[in-house]
Every structure is written in structure tokens, then in C-alpha cells.
Amino acid sequence: MKRIVALVLCLCWWGWNGSPAAQPPPVHPNILFIMSDDHAAHAISAYGSRVNQTPHLDRLGREGVRLENCFAVNAICTPSRAAILTGKYSHINGVPVFNRFDGSQWTVAKALQAAGYHTGVIGKWHLQSDPTGFDYWNILVGQGLYFDPVFIEMGERKKHSGYATELITDFALEFLEQRPTDRPFFLMLHHKAPHRAWQPHPKYAHQFDAVDLPEPETFNDDYATRADAARAAIMRVSRDLTRNDLKLSPPPGLKGEALAAWRRGTDSELEVVTDGYTNRLTGAALKKWKYQRYLKDYLACIASVDESVGRVLDYLDQTGLVTNTIVIYTSDQGFFLGDHDWFDKRFMYEESIRMPFLIRYPPELPAGRVIEPMVLNVDFAPLFLDFAGVPVPAEVQGRSFRPLLSGLPPADWRRSWYYRYYHYPNEHGVEPHYGVRTERYKLIYFHRLEQWELFDLLTDPHELRNVYSDPQNARLVADLQAELTRLRQELGDRNQYADLK
Ligand code: CA
């Protein structure tokens, strides 16, 4: 019934806008899911980026729907991928850190394959076990390399010449070209970029040479008022970027482990060429230089991802697939772009948990709509099944947000959600934590430290003022703690991985 109402409203919408009467959406649309790795929403111009332009991603946003509040429930690569495949939280799908994914469990790919979809995954996989539920797979080994990477194609290793982002795009277009045309397809096109160590294609490597990128408002965050976790984290632009990250040249003659150790080194003083002169930089000047060096490479990697999206959209145009294909662009989680003096992710802070999410499907979704309600990565699997007309198994924890996309948010849509990060100590030393986010507030508990943080996202969107200990917030804290407990019980988090190292 809801579907019929949505369809009628959709047809009315087209009618009101004077467009030709839309065809009813096809029953089994193709699903093209494009996901990059560590691409923060604030490095997409459709999301108001201050540092780069992404014309092809912007086109997707212009022609489709943009989610303003899409979040990862555990903001790190492998766990987010497992959450997307299973529609379940880390403590249920067995991947709280970089665990091996148990491919015998239910996944959305298996469900779509069983429903007659031709399924494929190409590019970054990073779940250790071989993909299951895919008719075709061609994945990078582990994190994969930017240049001349080795892929595993249906179990067979093969080294390819070229740049990872371009190769992944080539393989995806081949998949589309060679697919059986009597069945719908589900393709997961997963880029490695713009993951560390941010190695751009030569054609974009100097794109930002003449640019002085603006620094984020929180660049000089001193972590005052915060839990000890912020100070303890090892991901500062000013201190923790390695010589490898900064693309510094090693002394001649270094080889093997000695070279690797040199590359891992960090510097509090550097001699670099700025404005045509060699200068010795320290302190604030060096921090600024490192920020520019880091972010320019990161953004140049994104230029290739944007170009890839353009190639794929052109292919859909040329082949007429545009009318019956759902196209999605997202990233496995966000990233700190010098925000709080950090690179990397992991924390429950906004820059890290926020995923870009653009979706285009002309028969059903209006162009240019922006959606505010909170959507999670565990909702993706139910969304795909909803569009494919496949029932969602009861044990799936996410919920389809198709009604939101159609402008009909259910009255009981979530007003709060649960986050949990486990991976400690790892090289970044981010304290494990869990918490609850509502539309306005965020409560975080660093359980090893037994320290809390509370942020009012309305008055403090950059999360600089922890107001947990403010006496006037006592009632608010109690309410949020009760909600946190309720969510943990509802989701079955019984500290299954509390002692994880
Ligand atoms: Ca990632």
C-alpha cells in the first residue's frame, strides 16, 4: 500500500513539474553501488567543500538525492564494509576490527543473487576471506597498491599495470559490458582511493601546487575540556604524518628495512622548499606545511575518483541504462581533513562518522532533494532489498530508507542511534568508545578511561566543548545514558568484544 501511495505521489510530482508522465519504476532495477575509501563528505563540492571541486559527484547529487546525515556505526574500513554487506552491527556480524569476515553468513549480495540478480564486486574488499554471493569478483589484495596493483580475479592472482582507480573503473565497465542482459545487476564498485598513503595519478599530482588550501576551523584545537582520548590519539597532522605520507625523499643508498624505517619516521623540524627558497620549518609553520602537503595529495586522489564516476555515468547515458539503474556514491566512513589537527577517522566525531551518500534513480527519486533524517550504513542492505522487491530477514538490524528518499519519512523513523569503536591500541591509539547520537546531542563513553563527553551539536557543531560535567545538563545526561542503555539492549550488544586488542 505504501508503495502505491509513493508511486502516485511520485507521478503527481512529475505532473506538477510539467515533466512528461514518468514510467512506473521497473520492478527489478539495476543497483550500482560505488564506494570509495576514506572520502569525507566535506571533500565533495556537493556537500559544500571549501577545498576542492568534484563536478561528476556534484552531477550525481544534482540529478538525485543527497543524504545530509548518513553515518557509519563503527567508523573504520573493514567493519563498515561488513556492516554494509550484512545490515548488522559489528558485534553481530563478527567484524569489530580487521577480523576475517565469515563469508558463510547472510549477506545482501547473496540475497540479491538468489533473487536473480547478476552480482559483482570489483576493487577494494579488505575482508580477508574470499567474496561470497558474487557471480564475479575481482578484488585488490588487502589494502591494495595505488600503482601496478595485484588483483585476485575469481581466486586467481594477477598483477596489472596502471593506476588502481582507473583499473577498477575499467574492470567495472567490462563487467557492465559483458553482463547477461536478461537479468538485473548488482555491482559493488569499490575504490581504494583516497586511502592513505594518498598517492595521486601523475596527471592530478600537481593540481593544487599553486593553491593555498584554507585550514579547518578546528585546526588548532587544544582538546581542552575533552576526555583524555583526544590528546592520546596518534593521528596529528602536526606530529604523526610520516616521511612516507609527506613524500619526502630518502637519503640515497637506503634499502630494505632501513629504508622502510626511514619512511616511518616523523619530524618536528624539516628543511623544505617554500616560495622558491629552502627553509627550515618548525612549530606552527611546519604544521601548516604538512597540512598542505597531506591534503593536496588526498584531494588529488579524489580527482581520479571523481573522474571515474564521470566515466561510469557517461556509460550509463550511452547505453540507456540510466533509466533503470540506481546509482549510489558513498565512502566506508569519513575522515579528518586537518580537523582537530588530525588525519584518519575512528572517533565518534562528526568528520569521521559522516558518510557521503548520493543516490540517483530517475523513475522514482526527484532531482536535487536533500534528506535530513539520520541514516546508517546498516540501512544500505535493507534499502537494496526494498528496491529489488526482496523481503528483509528479521535479523537484519538496519531499515530501508526508501520512504525517506521518496519524501515520505515514516513517523517512527529513528531519532537516535548507537555507535561503537573497538580497535585499540592499533597504531593510532584511539581509545575504544561507544555512544549515542541524536539529532542534537552526542554522548560518548570512553569505557577504559571511564570518561564521558557530551556535545550540543546545535550550539557546538565542531564538538570543541565537552559539557558533560555542566550541572545544568544532569537531566540531559541521564536521559541520554538511558537511551544508550536501551539501544545497547535492543541491538544485543552484550560486550561480546569488550576485551578486544
Ligand atoms: Ca576506510
Side-chain angles (χ1 to χ4, degrees):
M1 184 61 194
K2 279 183 185 166
R3 191 76 53 77
I4 294 167
V5 171
L7 178 60
V8 169
L9 286 176
C10 178
L11 291 171
C12 289
W13 187 91
W14 280 94
W16 289 331
N17 283 276
S19 305
Q23 295 296 314
V27 178
H28 297 298
N30 303 309
I31 302 171
L32 176 51
F33 178 77
I34 306 172
M35 181 163 74
S36 56
D37 192 341
D38 292 0
H39 188 181
H42 54 312
I44 296 176
S45 32
Y47 278 90
S49 170
R50 298 164 64 229
V51 289
N52 68 333
Q53 293 292 317
T54 49
H56 300 294
L57 288 168
D58 293 358
R59 179 190 161 193
L60 198 53
R62 211 167 44 243
E63 296 176 357
V65 178
R66 170 163 60 87
L67 266 58
E68 271 296 278
N69 293 295
C70 180
F71 301 111
V73 298
N74 181 1
I76 185 167
C77 306
T78 304
S80 180
R81 288 157 202 276
I84 289 167
L85 281 170
T86 61
K88 296 169 189 166
Y89 272 72
S90 307
H91 61 274
I92 301 293
N93 66 38
V95 187
V97 292
F98 287 167
N99 311 71
R100 181 179 183 278
F101 181 71
D102 175 4
S104 70
Q105 67 184 298
W106 181 92
T107 68
V108 68
K110 288 182 184 178
L112 291 172
Q113 189 182 45
Y117 272 73
H118 180 64
T119 58
V121 59
I122 292 168
K124 176 105 178 244
W125 174 249
H126 203 212
L127 287 162
Q128 295 185 39
S129 56
D130 286 346
T132 53
F134 293 98
D135 296 303
Y136 176 80
W137 51 276
N138 193 3
I139 58 171
L140 289 165
V141 178
Q143 291 280 8
L145 298 175
Y146 274 103
F147 290 97
D148 300 336
V150 176
F151 283 77
I152 311 174
E153 183 183 19
M154 305 291 284
E156 196 173 323
R157 285 180 183 240
K158 188 174 173 189
K159 188 177 173 69
H160 294 264
S161 298
Y163 187 64
T165 307
E166 293 187 344
L167 290 168
I168 290 164
T169 312
D170 292 343
F171 298 155
L173 295 179
E174 281 169 27
F175 171 90
L176 295 176
E177 194 67 22
Q178 294 168 7
R179 77 191 196 285
T181 52
D182 59 342
R183 295 152 63 190
F185 68 81
F186 171 60
L187 174 60
M188 303 186 93
L189 193 176
H190 291 179
H191 285 297
K192 168 192 172 54
H195 192 278
R196 195 179 185 184
W198 318 299
Q199 295 172 337
H201 189 286
K203 71 179 167 185
Y204 293 120
H206 299 287
Q207 188 179 28
F208 296 93
D209 278 5
V211 179
D212 192 32
L213 297 170
E215 291 158 5
E217 292 177 52
T218 59
F219 192 47
N220 295 309
D221 187 358
D222 61 3
Y223 316 121
T225 79
R226 313 272 280 285
D228 293 337
R231 280 178 291 279
I234 306 165
M235 45 202 254
R236 292 193 200 174
V237 169
S238 57
R239 186 192 63 191
D240 302 319
L241 286 168
T242 66
R243 292 167 182 152
N244 191 52
D245 294 329
L246 297 168
K247 319 300 189 305
L248 298 172
S249 302
L254 273 189
K255 285 182 184 159
E257 178 47 36
L259 177 61
W262 185 90
R263 288 192 188 284
R264 286 195 296 272
T266 55
D267 297 282
S268 58
E269 190 172 325
L270 268 183
E271 216 165 65
V272 296
V273 176
T274 52
D275 302 327
Y277 297 96
T278 300
N279 289 303
R280 182 160 286 277
L281 302 182
T282 60
L286 182 59
K287 177 180 175 180
K288 285 171 177 283
W289 181 86
K290 286 182 177 179
Y291 166 76
Q292 298 289 331
R293 190 77 191 84
Y294 148 59
L295 198 62
K296 287 177 181 180
D297 281 345
Y298 174 88
L299 297 175
C301 289
I302 289 169
S304 284
V305 173
D306 188 61
E307 179 188 276
S308 165
V309 170
R311 282 181 67 196
V312 172
L313 294 181
D314 286 347
Y315 179 85
L316 299 179
D317 286 341
Q318 289 155 13
T319 52
L321 283 168
V322 64
T323 54
N324 61 346
T325 301
I326 296 165
V327 184
I328 292 164
Y329 181 83
T330 187
S331 166
D332 56 351
Q333 82 299 297
F335 215 65
F336 295 106
L337 308 181
D339 312 280
H340 309 283
D341 187 18
W342 287 332
F343 58 95
D344 215 75
K345 55 263 183 180
R346 301 161 193 273
F347 274 113
M348 196 188 164
Y349 303 131
E350 292 293 283
E351 299 88 347
S352 161
I353 59 175
R354 187 181 302 282
M355 309 165 81
F357 195 99
L358 306 167
I359 178 167
R360 184 187 77 177
Y361 184 40
E364 182 169 319
L365 307 180
R369 174 174 282 161
V370 178
I371 302 289
E372 296 286 344
M374 298 184 293
V375 168
L376 307 176
N377 56 352
V378 291
D379 298 330
F380 297 180
L383 178 77
F384 302 158
L385 297 181
D386 192 349
F387 273 118
V390 178
V392 181
E395 74 265 22
V396 166
Q397 296 179 309
R399 180 177 177 184
S400 170
F401 50 101
R402 187 177 182 182
L404 266 60
L405 300 174
S406 300
L408 299 166
D412 62 345
W413 190 255
R414 73 171 62 84
R415 309 296 295 271
S416 66
W417 61 275
Y418 178 58
Y419 179 87
R420 183 156 189 171
Y421 172 78
Y422 300 81
H423 204 185
Y424 184 84
N426 182 261
E427 65 183 290
H428 293 291
V430 172
E431 283 284 341
H433 56 286
Y434 54 85
V436 56
R437 188 196 189 280
T438 67
E439 284 152 357
R440 175 161 181 183
Y441 297 104
K442 186 184 293 178
L443 181 75
I444 309 175
Y445 183 49
F446 296 94
H447 50 87
R448 263 174 32 95
L449 304 172
E450 299 183 3
Q451 292 178 353
W452 295 84
E453 288 183 346
L454 171 67
F455 298 102
D456 181 341
L457 301 172
L458 184 66
T459 60
D460 179 27
H462 298 302
E463 300 166 296
L464 294 170
R465 295 190 302 278
N466 171 22
V467 292
Y468 175 79
S469 300
D470 193 334
Q472 72 185 30
N473 289 326
R475 176 69 188 273
L476 174 63
V477 164
D479 288 348
L480 287 168
Q481 285 173 331
E483 179 62 4
L484 180 58
T485 300
R486 187 192 71 78
L487 285 168
R488 282 165 56 78
Q489 286 172 351
E490 181 183 284
L491 295 164
D493 186 352
R494 297 183 297 277
N495 286 321
Q496 291 95 322
Y497 297 101
D499 300 323
L500 205 62
K501 291 284 190 296

